[in-house]
Amino acid sequence: MRNKTCQSVLILSLFALFCSAQNLSPHWEELTAPDFVKALDQAKGVCLLPFGIIEKHGPSGPMGTDLINVRYATFEATKQEYAIVFPEYYFGQIFEAKHQPGTIAYSTHLQLELLQETTAEMARNGCKKVVIVSGHGGNTNLIAFFAQTTLETPKDYVVYAITNAPGQAAQMPAAARPSKPGVDGHAGETEIASIMAARPDLVHPERAGTQSGADQKRLDLPANVYTGIWWYARFPNHYQGDASGATAARGAALQQIRAEAIASAIRAIKADQIGPRLQKEFFEESTHPVDTKQ
Ligand SMILES: [Zn+2]
C-alpha cells in the first residue's frame, strides 16, 4: 500500500513537473524571475534575438513588417523547439531608407554597441548560446560583422546567427511559390503574404500597384563594383517586386517553412558542444600566440 502511495506521488510530481515545463512562456518579458531560471534550463541556455527593423515596406506593408514576420516565425519555431525569446529588437542598419517616412536609423556605433551590450546582458543572465535571428536583409552584413567581432575579447558565451536565406522558388512546395516571377523582393509578395499570415489586419495588397517596385537600373557599373547608393539607385520607392498577388495561404506556407528552419537551427545549436569548446580554446591560445604550435 505504501509503495502504491509513493508511486502515485511520484507520478503526480512527474506530471506536475511536465506541466510546469510545458507552460513556460518563450517570451522573456512574460516570465517571472523564478520561472526564467527554469526556462533557461528547458532552453539549454539558448536564447533568441529576433532582429527586425522599422522601415517603409512599399505601399502595402506596415513599417514593422520584418520585425513582425521574424517574431512570428520565431515563436512558431519555439512551439517545436523551446527557447527564450528576447523582447522586440529593431536597432539595425537602415540608412538606405532615411529618405522615407517613419524609418528609424540609429547611428553605426550605436547599432554595434547595442548589439554587443544586449547579447552580453543576455549571456550574463545565463544565455550561454545567444542566437540572432535575422529578419531584415539590410542587417545581413551588420550581423556577420558583429559575429566576427565577438572574437575580439574572451567571453563565456557563443553568438550564433540564423540568416533568412530565401529558398529557391522551384524547390519550394507549391503553396509557398510566388504567383509569378519577379514579384518577390523588399515589400513584395513574400513579405506581404507573410504578414497576412501573422497580422492580416495590417496589410493592404490592394495598394500594391500605387507605387512602382520595378528596378530603375539607374547606376551603370560593372557587377564587381559595390557602392552604398546601389539600392536607392535601383529601388527609390523602397519597394521591390509586386505585392498585389499576396495571399494569406502563401504567407502561411512561407511562415511554416521559415519556422521549421529556425526550429532545426535551435536543435543544432542546443546540441553544439564543439563551438563553445573551440571558442574557449581559441581565447586561451590568443593570450600567448607564440606558444601556438607552428
Ligand atoms: Zn522586409
Side-chain angles (χ1 to χ4, degrees), residues 55 57 65-66 186-187 191:
E55 57 166 336
H57 267 78
T65 291
D66 289 355
H186 174 73
E191 291 196 326

Side-chain angles (χ1 to χ4, degrees), residues 175-176 193 196-197 246-255:
M196 288 170 96
T247 63
R250 185 180 179 215
L254 288 162
Q255 290 282 20

